[in-house]
Amino acid sequence: MPTTVAPIPNRSPSEIIALRRQHINPTLSMSYQQPLKMVRGAGAYLYDQEGNAYLDMVNNVCHVGHCHPSVVAAGQAQMAQLNTNTRYLHDNIVEYAKRLSATFPPELSVVFLTNSGTEANDLALRIAKTYTQANDIIVVDHAYHGNSPTMIELSPYKFDGKGGRGRPAHIQVAEIPDDYRGRFRKDDPQAGSHYAQDLQRAIAAIHARGEKPAAFYCESVLGCGGQVVLPAGYLEAAYAHARAAGAVCIADEVQVGFGRAGDHFWAFEAQGVVPDIVTMGKPIGNGHPMGAVITRPEIAQAFITGMEYFNTFAGNPVSCAIGLAVLDVIEQEGLQAHAKQVGDVLLQGLNELKQKHTLIGDVRGMGLFIGVELVKDRHSLEPATAEANTIIEFLKAHRILLSTDGPYDNVLKLKPPMVFSMDNAREFLWRLDQALFSVS
């Protein structure tokens, strides 16, 4: 007889919170003053235990929509047939590597598979250090690259935040290229190259330690830094400085890849560059734990040292089936073009709200990755942190899920599932208008 699986009790939110406090470490945070219990997802919506629908504008993990039927079916079918490690031959892993690499410039053709964006960034670090035979790393201020010990060391968002131990000696932090709040502003056509000059200072600091730079890490659009779109020319100039010093250039696409940028499948393409290594995570599996690294053949070749790279779960048939389904859905449903169209409507509507509400200091983004920075004063740029969090709670009360980010926690971050519609955009803009009036 088949095993009977015990049903999971249907608990109230207060009971779940009590059990979390008893059995789960409190460092695992919850959203909102009164946390929500979600029981179902579909498309751009999450549903609570009472059946209320919430428009999800913050989940860039369920990239092609919550519980997309094609992705679910692909995972179920493969799980019912076989799931094993990559030491056995299987069609799925080579088909996925082939399909994924076809979305990149031809220089990037060798794929490594992982279980998360953190693992992808961690592996990219190993590859970079092996190729360059160097140790020190340059990262951008306020960046977050993952939750492993080595990635916390690479993440100013963590090591300079609460509970952090400060910058490790082998890490140099480059100035954040924020052309709204930083030293060089939007009216400077050379802002990108001016910000990139700071890599020279970081490289000099590494040389002063008697070391060499192994890698320059940079998100293609800055997430935890406040949804910051890199100024034109930044990566071209920064990559030139890094490569001249012998470092490889790593583009972190964990948040912004797979067509979210709208005009491009990969956000680094907006800067007209080709990185040496690209890391992926979050949207790659639509909620299934999966990540990837892609690099140039010569860099991959240098990683062949006699030490095997084996990852028990990475590249398994189920993960690859799901990854392939995600690529199919993006292509067949035209989600990259959709992100461009809906994102343009959002950006236009947000800029119109900026004309009405002085609390909006800046609107920025590309495709369906957008930031709205709130300030108390447009001249001093004093962050409107409390107001931003009040707006988040207002929207939650009206069943729209949003969050904040940035060094001052004053940037509304918009990164909804890619199936977010024109009607969804109009509903959000209407509600945000109300929310802004409520705090003015």
Side-chain angles (χ1 to χ4, degrees), residues 87-388:
R87 288 200 170 110
Y88 298 101
L89 300 181
H90 200 276
D91 292 308
N92 288 11
I93 186 171
V94 292
E95 182 65 18
Y96 186 70
K98 176 185 173 183
R99 288 275 307 281
L100 182 66
S101 61
T103 67
F104 282 94
E107 297 94 324
L108 298 167
S109 60
V110 182
V111 174
F112 298 78
L113 295 174
T114 69
N115 299 301
S116 68
T118 292
E119 279 195 4
N121 276 323
D122 207 55
L123 177 59
L125 178 64
R126 283 181 57 195
I127 294 169
K129 286 185 173 183
T130 303
Y131 178 72
T132 61
Q133 293 295 293
N135 182 67
D136 286 25
I137 308 296
I138 303 168
V139 296
V140 174
D141 204 3
H142 304 295
Y144 173 62
H145 294 292
N147 59 35
S148 69
T150 53
M151 289 301 105
I152 295 297
E153 289 185 346
L154 263 65
S155 300
Y157 176 73
K158 291 294 186 181
F159 67 64
D160 278 340
K162 294 179 181 178
R165 296 184 177 183
R167 179 182 64 84
H170 67 286
I171 304 298
Q172 296 297 326
V173 178
E175 182 177 10
I176 185 170
D178 182 348
D179 60 6
Y180 173 67
R181 187 173 283 280
R183 287 192 301 151
F184 308 105
R185 303 291 175 87
K186 297 180 192 296
D187 59 355
D188 182 352
Q190 300 300 315
S193 59
H194 289 157
Y195 277 117
Q197 280 290 333
D198 195 51
L199 265 75
Q200 294 282 40
R201 176 199 55 77
I203 292 165
I206 291 171
H207 290 161
R209 279 175 26 87
E211 298 287 348
K212 297 182 296 181
F216 167 56
Y217 271 77
C218 186
E219 298 164 276
S220 300
V221 184
L222 309 186
C224 291
Q227 314 295 101
V228 175
V229 176
L230 301 175
Y234 176 75
L235 283 186
E236 181 181 12
Y239 280 13
H241 294 314
R243 286 169 172 158
V248 298
C249 299
I250 300 174
D252 183 331
E253 292 264 342
V254 169
Q255 291 211 62
V256 295
F258 292 91
R260 180 169 290 278
D263 283 323
H264 305 280
F265 200 80
W266 303 106
F268 68 77
E269 296 174 292
Q271 290 273 311
V273 297
V274 178
D276 300 306
I277 302 173
V278 181
T279 60
M280 295 152 271
K282 285 185 170 66
I284 191 171
N286 210 54
H288 180 81
M290 189 177 179
V293 175
I294 192 166
T295 189
R296 300 172 185 265
E298 65 272 21
I299 295 176
Q301 183 67 31
F303 197 58
I304 304 173
T305 64
M307 179 187 291
E308 181 186 21
Y309 169 67
F310 175 71
N311 185 322
T312 303
F313 298 107
N316 70 74
V318 171
S319 293
C320 291
I322 289 171
L324 284 164
V326 170
L327 291 176
D328 285 339
V329 172
I330 294 170
E331 180 180 356
Q332 293 171 22
E333 297 188 8
L335 292 183
Q336 180 183 337
H338 179 78
K340 165 67 174 172
Q341 293 163 2
V342 180
D344 283 352
V345 167
L346 277 172
L347 287 168
Q348 179 182 342
L350 289 166
N351 276 303
E352 289 171 0
L353 290 180
K354 181 181 173 182
Q355 302 306 311
K356 293 173 61 177
H357 301 280
T358 58
L359 195 66
I360 296 180
D362 191 40
V363 173
R364 53 192 180 244
M366 55 173 64
L368 286 176
F369 196 85
I370 295 171
V372 182
E373 181 151 0
L374 304 183
V375 294
K376 294 182 178 180
D377 182 275
R378 288 183 177 175
H379 297 288
S380 69
L381 305 187
E382 180 183 354
T385 302
E387 291 84 350

Side-chain angles (χ1 to χ4, degrees), residues 47-62:
Y47 297 83
D48 69 14
Q49 77 277 14
E50 296 173 356
N52 297 312
Y54 288 80
L55 180 59
D56 185 356
M57 295 192 61
V58 75
N59 197 324
N60 61 340
V61 177
C62 293

